[in-house]
């Protein structure tokens, strides 16, 4: 079994979609190994998204991710990274396949309801960022 990190972002949390998204995750065969709800500080969000610090959208991303609580989960399933990314759908919610989480709960490319690790290596880094053994 492999793990990946999933975040229910502030937009989905504000709209009350946490339980619906968690149910979709479980219905699709994932085990939620660890989870917590937190309101990220600027320092926390900047550290997590440091890979994007030189991109023009970085400031807006940090402002968005610190605007409300997020729900952070360590998920487990065979091929967890790929399976979670498939369930989430395209980054731009407007282009996501119908039935995916982002198509159902997201609004656009920035307010897209969820985050997921993009590789097994990054999944381990991201999991350690939020869940310290």
């Amino acid at each position: 079994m492999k793990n990946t990190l999933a975040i229910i972002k502030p937009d989905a949390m504000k709209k009350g979609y946490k339980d619906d998204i968690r149910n979709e995750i479980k219905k699709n065969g994932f085990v939620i190994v660890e989870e917590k709800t937190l309101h990220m500080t600027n320092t926390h969000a900047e550290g997590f998204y440091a890979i994007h610090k030189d991109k023009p959208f970085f400031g807006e991303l940090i402002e968005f991710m610190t605007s409300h609580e997020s729900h952070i989960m360590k998920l487990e399933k065979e091929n967890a990274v790929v399976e979670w990314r498939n369930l989430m759908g395209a980054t731009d919610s407007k282009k996501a396949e119908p039935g995916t989480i982002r198509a159902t709960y997201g609004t656009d490319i920035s307010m897209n309801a969820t985050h997921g690790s993009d590789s097994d290596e990054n999944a381990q880094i991201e999991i350690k960022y939020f869940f310290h053994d």
Side-chain angles (χ1 to χ4, degrees):
M1 292 297 220
K2 295 278 188 168
N3 297 117
T4 193
L5 185 86
I7 300 176
I8 301 174
K9 293 181 178 181
D11 57 319
M13 292 291 286
K14 282 182 196 174
K15 293 176 182 174
Y17 294 147
K18 179 178 111 175
D19 290 339
D20 295 331
I21 293 172
R22 286 180 77 258
N23 288 338
E24 284 290 319
I25 289 167
K26 290 191 250 180
K27 184 176 89 177
N28 281 275
F30 289 92
V31 173
I32 300 173
V33 178
E34 293 183 74
E35 63 184 321
K36 62 183 170 185
T37 298
L38 63 88
H39 195 139
M40 285 191 218
T41 63
N42 276 10
T43 301
H44 211 162
E46 287 170 359
F48 184 70
Y49 287 107
I51 192 168
H52 299 303
K53 69 181 175 197
D54 294 328
K55 297 190 175 143
F57 61 81
F58 183 71
E60 289 176 24
L61 175 62
I62 300 309
E63 184 178 330
F64 168 60
M65 291 304 295
T66 59
S67 67
H68 192 77
E69 292 178 329
S70 293
H71 191 71
I72 320 295
M73 296 167 286
K74 177 181 176 181
L75 304 181
E76 182 177 84
K77 185 178 181 178
E78 283 299 323
N79 301 311
V81 170
V82 171
E83 292 292 324
W84 174 234
R85 293 187 72 76
N86 288 340
L87 181 58
M88 282 192 304
T91 303
D92 186 343
S93 297
K94 293 176 181 175
K95 296 178 181 176
E97 289 289 320
T100 61
I101 288 175
R102 287 177 169 160
T104 304
Y105 303 105
T107 304
D108 56 31
I109 197 163
S110 60
M111 292 189 188
N112 59 9
T114 53
H115 165 87
S117 305
D118 63 2
S119 68
D120 287 335
E121 296 76 25
N122 282 340
Q124 296 314 308
I125 293 166
E126 292 180 353
I127 289 166
K128 286 178 184 167
Y129 192 83
F130 287 106
F131 298 103
H132 310 289
D133 294 335

